[in-house]
Amino acid sequence: MSNIPAELKYVASHEWLRLEEDGTITVGITHHAQELLGDIVFVELPEVGANLAAEEQAGVVAGEVVAVNEDLPSAPETANSDPYGAGWFFKIKPANPADYDGLLTAEQYAGEVA
């Protein structure tokens, strides 16, 4: 579990989510995902302002994209080297903030990837 930070939430499709103080949710891929993918050489991010449905490609929680990691497309390897930090993908304003509570805990996610 050392590569699964306890303070984050997870989905079985190997994304992590962090609830920020302003109510937005930061999304990235897990350490396990970046290991499965190998060297990441290309990242396509959603458009700011896009509305994503839950479970839609790039949308693990329904909401509006409010920011993207503009550094990631020019340095996609960051998703490999720092998946829980500088390698984040985008931030959303959730349509239903309570959806965050229903996501997997670190312990539950560890059971998914074991």
Side-chain angles (χ1 to χ4, degrees):
M1 285 246 316
S2 63
N3 289 324
I4 305 174
E7 70 277 9
L8 303 177
K9 293 284 193 164
Y10 300 87
V11 292
S13 55
H14 309 298
E15 291 89 14
W16 60 262
L17 297 92
R18 180 178 57 234
L19 183 62
E20 305 295 349
E21 289 184 17
D22 64 1
T24 62
I25 296 174
T26 301
V27 179
I29 62 169
T30 65
H31 178 77
H32 182 74
Q34 67 84 23
E35 283 185 330
L36 291 174
L37 293 170
D39 290 340
I40 297 172
V41 296
F42 176 76
V43 173
E44 184 175 357
L45 299 171
E47 296 282 328
V48 171
N51 286 298
L52 303 175
E55 304 302 323
E56 180 180 348
Q57 182 179 358
V60 293
V61 173
E64 178 186 355
V65 176
V66 295
V68 296
N69 185 346
E70 295 182 5
D71 296 329
L72 202 54
S74 62
E77 66 278 4
T78 307
N80 289 114
S81 62
D82 192 10
Y84 298 112
W88 65 277
F89 280 57
F90 59 91
K91 294 184 181 195
I92 63 170
K93 179 179 178 184
N96 182 3
D99 288 347
Y100 183 80
D101 296 329
L103 300 173
L104 299 173
T105 65
E107 186 175 330
Q108 290 168 325
Y109 178 69
E112 293 279 326
V113 298

